[in-house]
Amino acid sequence: MTTPWIAQAADAPPAFSPPSAASLPDTEFGKIVRQGEQIFLHTPKLAAKFTGNDLNCASCHLDAGRRADSAPMWAAYVLYPAYRAKNEHVNTLAERLQGCFRFSMNGKAPPADDPTLTALQTYMFWLASKAPTGVVLAGQGYLKLPAPAQKADYVRGSEVYAQYCAVCHGADGGGQKNGKHWVFPALWGADSFNWGAGMHQIGNAAGFIKANMPLGQGGMLSNQEAWDVAYFMNAHERPQDPRYTESVAATRAKYHDSDDSLYGIEVNGHVLGSDSPPPGGKLIQAAAKPAG
């Protein structure tokens, strides 16, 4: 006789829907949840001392961290603590979020007990309320695409980018502002995520693009187009990996020795990572300004 939990494990991952924003409780707990939601949506403004670029958490985790196949927060919360090959030890949720600030936000890690991390974790807990713990839920992480029929290609990717992406993210990948407010994030260059971020991995970028881009038209691109434009996006310089050792080659050997990373690879005559802006972005620039 098969037990119910074994039968469930053999089936597709269970579906889950997070609570609606309207259902957020008007309590002291709800106040911290709201703080976490606002930090998630306005990260450079509300967590400025930890962010080196102008990306928000919601730049990669769409719909305030609710959207399936966009690394939703409700699916991540139930899987931590967890072992991560990236740093070869069991990570708490706080440590996982610290990595987001260090890599995706090109900034620095908040202390584990900082109110910023408390608010973000409280928001994630609320989104995941009533979800089973320790279970991979449908829509967790980014979409996993099959290997492309043809090897991902820079030229084809540039054509897809020009047709579907440049209108929002700019021909130079630098994103777009409305006044001082960033509307569309930078995809490469000094204002984007650094070489340590998960989105620099071609597979993650391709899955995210396939499921969610162009914005509001997810699924429109073919798998091949998603792979090609992900390759193109990640074949440009971005801030240096903060784990950089003595050389690009050594850093690739230690942290990027995978076909999923273009760091340290020569593309169009340029070795990626060899001309990266230093990590830290705005935080480094602010520290370098003379006092007074």
Side-chain angles (χ1 to χ4, degrees):
M1 179 177 179
T2 304
T3 57
W5 68 267
I6 291 177
Q8 184 182 42
D11 297 332
F16 175 77
S17 296
S20 67
S23 68
L24 208 159
D26 188 17
T27 62
E28 287 302 308
F29 172 78
K31 178 182 177 181
I32 303 303
V33 174
R34 285 190 177 89
Q35 287 179 4
E37 180 189 47
Q38 289 304 301
I39 292 169
F40 202 89
L41 294 170
H42 309 289
T43 318
K45 177 181 178 181
L46 299 180
K49 60 184 177 181
F50 304 120
T51 55
N53 58 28
D54 288 301
L55 274 67
N56 299 300
C57 300
S59 297
C60 296
H61 310 278
L62 303 183
D63 193 20
R66 294 170 173 273
R67 186 175 299 180
D69 296 321
S70 183
M73 295 298 96
W74 44 264
Y77 183 87
V78 300
L79 295 178
Y80 281 87
Y83 178 85
R84 298 190 72 216
K86 183 172 184 174
N87 51 24
E88 300 180 323
H89 65 265
V90 172
N91 289 202
T92 63
L93 182 60
E95 185 176 4
R96 181 67 182 88
L97 293 173
Q98 287 173 324
C100 291
F101 279 97
R102 188 181 180 204
F103 300 118
S104 296
M105 314 307 292
N106 192 34
K108 65 179 182 180
D113 61 349
D114 190 88
T116 296
L117 290 190
T118 299
L120 287 171
Q121 289 178 90
T122 305
Y123 177 56
M124 293 174 69
F125 170 82
W126 179 74
L127 287 175
S129 58
K130 300 182 181 180
T133 59
V135 175
V136 174
L137 300 171
Q140 185 266 341
Y142 296 122
L143 197 64
K144 302 296 187 290
L145 294 183
Q150 303 177 68
K151 185 177 179 180
D153 181 78
Y154 183 97
V155 173
R156 288 197 306 266
S158 69
E159 294 168 352
V160 175
Y161 186 87
Q163 184 172 358
Y164 297 109
C165 313
V167 65
C168 292
H169 297 286
D172 63 353
Q176 288 199 52
K177 288 181 179 180
N178 180 6
K180 293 184 178 181
H181 174 66
W182 282 89
V183 180
F184 299 106
L187 300 182
W188 63 81
D191 295 323
S192 190
F193 53 88
N194 67 43
W195 279 112
M199 195 60 79
H200 102 278
Q201 296 173 316
I202 302 172
N204 281 343
F208 174 82
I209 291 165
K210 172 67 178 182
N212 300 292
M213 294 293 140
L215 191 63
Q217 302 178 71
M220 186 182 75
L221 299 181
S222 69
N223 287 0
Q224 185 68 57
E225 287 173 324
W227 279 107
D228 288 341
V229 77
Y231 183 98
F232 173 77
M233 179 181 84
N234 285 340
H236 290 82
E237 280 289 15
R238 57 189 63 260
Q240 184 60 264
D241 191 325
R243 302 165 298 178
Y244 178 89
T245 54
E246 70 271 16
S247 68
V248 170
T251 305
R252 176 172 175 84
K254 188 170 184 178
Y255 299 112
H256 298 277
D257 189 15
S258 164
D259 291 339
D260 206 28
S261 175
L262 293 176
Y263 182 90
I265 299 299
E266 184 176 324
V267 177
N268 296 337
H270 174 73
V271 176
L272 292 165
S274 65
D275 193 30
S276 294
K282 295 186 298 180
L283 297 180
I284 298 300
Q285 294 167 17
K289 289 182 179 178

